[in-house]
Amino acid sequence: MAASPGSNTQGGTPGTPRVLRAMNDRAALELLSAHGPLTRTRLGELTGLSKPTASQLLTRLESVGLVRTTGNVTGRPGPNAQLYEIDPAAAHVAALAVDQEGITAAVADITGQVVGEHRVTAPATDASVTNRTGELVAEAVDGALAAAGLGRDDLHSTVIGTPGALDPRTGTLRYAPHLPGWQSRTLRDDLAEVLHTPIVIENDVNLAAIAEQHHGTAQDFDDFALVWADEGVGAAIVLHGTLLRGATGGAGEIGYMPLPGAPLARGGPDAAARPDGGGGFQKLVGSPAVVELARDHGIDAPTATKALAAALRTPGPGDEVLTELARRLATGLASVVAVVDPELVVLSGEVAQAGGDRLRQLVEDEMTGLALPRPQLRISEIEGDPILIGALRTAVADARQTVFDTARFDA
């Protein structure tokens, strides 16, 4: 709805024409982002603005490069109505997903459309990558920009998803000792200097949850937990629609959670290079644990995905693998549910995807009868890399906060 004029007439203060105009501009831009191309009349209906005011608004936004015309509405009585949409070139953002094998980068325009991607292989176990973090990030981003026909000057901001979390008090990446080269206190500033954009470093599982929240199975839920079972194990907790981060950014690091049957995760040189820290929940349900569990039952496969695929088609031993894995997952989930009481638990990552609905049902059966709340349990249905999708969503949302603020043109 359009903003109403106030009595204050001082420029730049609440109620003034400048501020109200900027508020109406932002409302229109958000509607165009959400609904796609709209006519002037339809935009006026959605905002509550008169036709003349809506026309002036669109002319103004077109003149500063935020909207553009994109054809006409045809097939109805009367003159064809002009359609308006967000100009994709208004800004571009970069998103990166970092894992133990390398870095994937994607570049998207302000509408969220991906226009370029690039993958840089850089195994964390290779000592030569330790001091090349900035170089590797730049290589990944430059590759994605080149695929899009863009350069670094076209970037507005960058979001990077990594295991662990950036501690807001110290600026260091915690819970990711297996990513050498990413532990510097000045990492964010160093990368900002390389790419010449603001940098956000976010936990990868948190970004997967953002993808689920806006594009996946959690779209209709304000309270949910995403449990990620892959090479490493973690969780993201969303309460009242907001991510729970914790005092040091480490909320949801359930991979280190002590559980029966798993050694305690402790520090020290031996644990520093391992994503499981040497113990905890991820020693039971992470990808390496699944490969080991399958091997114990006579199913020899190099990856968790292949091990679970074999288990699903192997009566007897395969059933035993799936049942034991479900029991382990249910034990860890019970701790999360007892503390957080989410309405929904989403299972994601390599293990969950490979186990599919058969594994989900077995986990649900294991949790039946426990003296706990009973959340819905679903497998992620996100297509593509949920970490990269969440990073793109975050980067685009952050960019819009600035780009859609038309008050900056009056400064």
Side-chain angles (χ1 to χ4, degrees), residues 162-176 182-188 201-203 245-251 253:
T162 74
L166 202 71
D167 189 329
R169 302 178 303 183
T170 65
T172 57
L173 190 69
R174 304 185 65 204
Y175 311 104
W182 288 82
Q183 311 303 321
S184 168
R185 289 176 178 268
T186 62
L187 176 65
R188 185 164 48 192
I201 300 177
E202 176 63 277
N203 173 261
R245 298 185 178 277
T248 64
E253 290 292 340

Side-chain angles (χ1 to χ4, degrees), residues 4 94 179 193 195 315:
S4 301
L179 290 179
E193 185 175 349
L195 296 179

Side-chain angles (χ1 to χ4, degrees), residues 196-255:
H196 307 296
T197 75
I199 300 288
V200 173
I201 300 177
E202 176 63 277
N203 173 261
D204 54 359
V205 181
N206 282 350
L207 292 174
I210 289 172
E212 290 292 344
Q213 187 177 25
H214 294 283
H215 305 287
T217 192
Q219 288 182 73
D220 297 325
F221 296 83
D222 290 329
D223 298 275
F224 72 94
L226 179 137
V227 174
W228 180 269
D230 205 287
E231 189 72 22
V233 175
I237 311 299
V238 175
L239 299 176
H240 307 299
T242 302
L243 274 167
L244 178 67
R245 298 185 178 277
T248 64
E253 290 292 340
I254 63 171

Side-chain angles (χ1 to χ4, degrees), residues 122-136:
T125 54
D126 186 345
S128 67
V129 308
T130 301
N131 298 315
R132 297 177 55 222
T133 302
E135 178 185 338
L136 293 168

Side-chain angles (χ1 to χ4, degrees), residues 91-363:
H92 291 87
V93 299
L96 294 88
V98 180
D99 56 55
Q100 285 186 274
E101 298 302 322
I103 302 170
T104 301
V107 171
D109 61 38
I110 196 67
T111 71
Q113 179 67 41
V114 175
V115 294
E117 290 192 49
H118 188 68
R119 171 78 176 175
V120 172
T121 300
T125 54
D126 186 345
S128 67
V129 308
T130 301
N131 298 315
R132 297 177 55 222
T133 302
E135 178 185 338
L136 293 168
V137 167
E139 182 181 345
V141 172
D142 286 344
L145 286 168
L150 302 169
R152 291 189 193 177
D153 290 343
D154 295 302
L155 278 185
H156 181 276
S157 56
T158 303
V159 173
I160 303 174
T162 74
L166 202 71
D167 189 329
R169 302 178 303 183
T170 65
T172 57
L173 190 69
R174 304 185 65 204
Y175 311 104
H178 56 295
L179 290 179
W182 288 82
Q183 311 303 321
S184 168
R185 289 176 178 268
T186 62
L187 176 65
R188 185 164 48 192
D189 292 340
D190 293 344
L191 295 179
E193 185 175 349
V194 169
L195 296 179
H196 307 296
T197 75
I199 300 288
V200 173
I201 300 177
E202 176 63 277
N203 173 261
D204 54 359
V205 181
N206 282 350
L207 292 174
I210 289 172
E212 290 292 344
Q213 187 177 25
H214 294 283
H215 305 287
T217 192
Q219 288 182 73
D220 297 325
F221 296 83
D222 290 329
D223 298 275
F224 72 94
L226 179 137
V227 174
W228 180 269
D230 205 287
E231 189 72 22
V233 175
I237 311 299
V238 175
L239 299 176
H240 307 299
T242 302
L243 274 167
L244 178 67
R245 298 185 178 277
T248 64
E253 290 292 340
I254 63 171
Y256 303 105
M257 185 167 60
L259 285 177
L264 293 177
R266 301 185 185 277
D270 292 337
R274 300 169 58 181
D276 61 12
F281 185 34
Q282 50 200 356
K283 284 290 289 183
L284 298 178
V285 299
S287 297
V290 172
V291 170
E292 184 179 347
L293 174 63
R295 189 173 295 126
D296 290 343
H297 288 81
I299 298 174
D300 196 1
T303 67
T305 295
K306 291 182 177 180
L308 289 173
L312 287 167
R313 62 174 183 265
T314 306
D319 296 334
E320 293 173 3
V321 170
L322 292 165
T323 299
E324 173 60 18
L325 178 58
R327 184 192 66 78
R328 295 178 182 185
L329 281 165
T331 301
L333 290 179
S335 298
V336 175
V337 170
V339 173
V340 180
D341 187 20
E343 186 179 0
L344 169 73
V345 173
V346 180
L347 298 178
S348 190
E350 178 189 21
V351 172
Q353 294 293 332
D357 196 63
R358 170 82 183 282
L359 179 61
R360 183 205 63 79
Q361 185 61 59
L362 288 169
V363 173

